[in-house]
Amino acid sequence: MQMEVHTIKPAVSRRSGSGEFFLTVGTIFFLVSIFLCTSVSARLGDVGEPIQIQNFPYNHSSTTASRETSRIGSYGCAPSTDESGPEVVYQFSVQERGVITAEVLGDGAGVDIDLHLLRSVMTIGGQAQDCIARHNRMLSETLDEGTYFLVVDTYNGDSQAGDYRLILNFQPEEGWYERSI
């Protein structure tokens, strides 16, 4: 889902196709447009159709180079960082409190890809609002039960897009946990 917010300055009166209505001078109105990004053109890994992660540990190799235009240009947890390059979006759920660890391999030789952990993919003006954490190579964060999004995003435009490998792991806070080394 994508959301755009527009501020509308008040007017004394305004005509619509079906009649006339009045706005109070001095009142500010917000027009909120919400729309789903699940159109026919959405492809797996886009904001409207994230790649579903079912199990941990998770390894996935892909590329940001052949992706469509970026839907997310920046993130609320680092609003001045230019993430205007193409992104790949993943979605996962955790059933209990624990630590998620994500690592992206592939930076170098003109490729610069960053990680962003989100509660939702809601954007306002191209900025993801529900950013929990971000890092250029690896992040680790304690999460409560719920659904989350991990975005692998190209830093500073299309020219730094390229191949990457994503490694994602979840370790429950309680109980026995095994993983291969």
Side-chain angles (χ1 to χ4, degrees):
M1 178 173 61
Q2 187 168 352
M3 182 170 89
E4 294 181 4
V5 177
H6 306 275
T7 304
I8 301 173
K9 298 214 176 199
V12 174
S13 68
R14 184 173 174 186
R15 290 200 177 269
S16 69
S18 61
E20 187 175 292
F21 61 92
F22 296 93
L23 300 176
T24 305
V25 175
T27 305
I28 297 176
F29 296 89
F30 293 96
L31 173 65
V32 179
S33 301
I34 300 175
F35 54 95
L36 296 175
C37 301
T38 54
S39 65
V40 178
S41 63
R43 74 179 210 196
L44 190 61
D46 287 348
V47 169
E49 193 173 335
I51 296 169
Q52 300 296 315
I53 297 172
Q54 302 296 329
N55 299 307
F56 299 102
Y58 180 81
N59 283 288
H60 186 244
S61 295
S62 190
T63 186
T64 60
S66 62
R67 305 302 298 183
E68 298 293 322
T69 305
S70 177
R71 293 269 201 176
I72 304 172
S74 64
Y75 295 81
C77 54
S80 63
T81 303
D82 181 356
E83 297 288 350
S84 61
E87 67 266 341
V88 179
V89 181
Y90 297 84
Q91 181 178 2
F92 64 93
S93 295
V94 294
Q95 306 307 313
E96 59 188 304
R97 184 176 171 84
V99 176
I100 194 80
T101 304
E103 182 177 10
V104 67
L105 307 173
D107 273 11
V111 175
D112 192 341
I113 299 169
D114 301 332
L115 292 168
H116 302 84
L117 180 61
L118 311 174
R119 283 188 183 86
S120 77
V121 290
M122 180 185 73
T123 61
I124 297 176
Q127 183 180 86
Q129 299 300 299
D130 292 330
C131 184
I132 299 168
R134 73 161 305 281
H135 200 271
N136 66 329
R137 294 184 192 228
M138 183 178 203
L139 62 82
S140 184
E141 196 72 28
T142 300
L143 301 177
D144 290 321
E145 177 182 345
T147 300
Y148 299 89
F149 297 86
L150 185 70
V151 182
V152 177
D153 203 342
T154 307
Y155 175 74
N156 201 23
D158 296 350
S159 65
Q160 297 191 67
D163 296 339
Y164 68 90
R165 180 173 167 212
L166 174 65
I167 302 166
L168 190 63
N169 208 354
F170 178 74
Q171 182 171 348
E173 191 174 71
E174 300 290 327
W176 184 258
Y177 176 74
E178 291 183 29
R179 81 173 161 199
S180 56
I181 51 173

